[in-house]
Amino acid sequence: MRSILPILSLLLLVQALPARGDQLADQQQSSGDATAVPNEAQQERKYQDCMSQAQSAPKQALKQAMAWEKEGGGDAARHCVASSYMGLKQYDDAAMELERIAETMPQVKAPIMAQLFGQAAQAWMQMDKPDRALADINQGLKVAKNNVDLLVFRATIYGNEEKYFEALDDLNAAYDLTSDRGTILVMRATAYRKLQQPDLAKDNIDLALKADPNDPDALLERGTQRAETGDKDGARPTG
């Protein structure tokens, strides 16, 4: 399955970390500790380094991220823990950590919560657990009902389960929310073809190819449509 949601990286850091920094500052002031709280730029570099290492050396990153969390690294450290689990292919641990981060965030951070639930869903899909993935996507859409990535992600899972009407509901909703519609049009075309509605399937793929004549997914879907109608010549890549 195509990866839909990017790693949060700075989005999580910028919005989640300052609150932790303020909390530490208050604690230090009340205790009379004169040690300076690391500034946001330092924390940003630490987070970037940790996230980079989570991909290149996840075992070491996990150890460092856990230590950072104990030192008060907050959500940024926990997100690096989850990313390290992903790097180690411990997808269940990654998913549960991402869920915990999302579930403890305040409602004002709903967009981040939704992305975290989406990343947890990706981890569950790596373990071939679409039911767990759908549960997380649904949680994400509860707090961010217009999240296009999650709508497309859920449509992908529905499509894999041959629930094409449900997939189309999500794809239509996503289509109305974004101007980046190439992938959505191809997915709608495929769903309509599976539902034996060739005219609608063709309309969607024509729109996709009008937007990007070289889209490989759109060209493949057009070839499949033509092959199913008996147009063997038109089904060829150059057709």
Side-chain angles (χ1 to χ4, degrees):
M1 184 184 66
R2 178 186 299 177
S3 177
I4 296 173
L5 300 174
I7 293 295
L8 288 182
S9 190
L10 292 180
L11 179 61
L12 179 62
L13 173 72
V14 170
Q15 298 192 33
L17 190 58
R20 171 63 66 174
D22 292 344
Q23 191 177 56
L24 286 173
D26 291 342
Q27 291 173 353
Q28 290 181 344
Q29 284 180 354
S30 63
S31 64
D33 188 347
T35 303
V37 177
N39 63 40
E40 187 173 323
Q42 290 174 326
Q43 294 288 70
E44 179 179 329
R45 285 194 297 272
K46 188 168 186 176
Y47 178 62
Q48 289 177 323
D49 290 343
C50 190
M51 292 295 286
S52 177
Q53 192 172 43
Q55 299 180 48
S56 61
K59 188 174 182 178
Q60 182 64 24
L62 179 61
K63 181 179 179 180
Q64 293 182 3
M66 286 181 167
W68 183 22
E69 182 182 357
K70 290 180 180 179
E71 295 168 359
D75 290 334
R78 295 176 67 188
H79 189 242
C80 191
V81 168
S83 297
S84 299
Y85 281 138
M86 287 290 287
L88 291 167
K89 299 185 179 180
Q90 295 177 218
Y91 299 119
D92 53 346
D93 290 325
M96 289 185 285
E97 184 65 33
L98 289 161
E99 289 169 351
R100 283 192 289 267
I101 302 170
E103 288 165 356
T104 57
M105 277 191 165
Q107 191 67 30
V108 294
K109 298 184 184 296
I112 299 177
M113 293 167 65
Q115 291 189 57
L116 287 165
F117 278 122
Q119 289 183 9
Q122 285 186 322
W124 288 125
M125 288 302 291
Q126 290 288 342
M127 297 190 69
D128 195 24
K129 293 186 176 182
D131 290 344
R132 295 292 297 267
L134 277 173
D136 278 331
I137 293 172
N138 290 337
Q139 284 293 100
L141 287 169
K142 281 183 181 179
V143 298
K145 66 179 181 179
N146 292 333
N147 187 297
V148 172
D149 289 333
L150 291 184
L151 288 167
V152 174
F153 196 171
R154 190 167 66 180
T156 300
I157 297 175
Y158 283 147
N160 291 341
E161 296 179 346
E162 299 185 357
K163 297 178 180 178
Y164 300 117
F165 286 111
E166 291 89 340
L168 283 168
D169 285 342
D170 281 344
L171 293 171
N172 291 338
Y175 184 90
D176 292 336
L177 292 167
T178 183
S179 59
D180 185 13
R181 295 169 172 168
T183 297
I184 296 171
L185 287 165
V186 176
M187 291 176 68
R188 287 203 320 193
T190 301
Y192 282 125
R193 174 170 57 81
K194 294 289 188 178
L195 291 169
Q196 298 183 357
Q197 298 187 44
D199 290 341
L200 289 172
K202 183 179 183 301
D203 289 345
N204 276 269
I205 215 62
D206 287 346
L207 285 172
L209 286 169
K210 184 177 180 180
D212 182 0
N214 298 313
D215 183 337
D217 293 329
L219 290 169
L220 179 61
E221 172 60 26
R222 184 181 67 177
T224 302
Q225 290 180 15
R226 289 177 173 179
E228 289 189 359
T229 61
D231 183 5
K232 294 182 180 179
D233 291 334
R236 294 173 182 171
T238 56

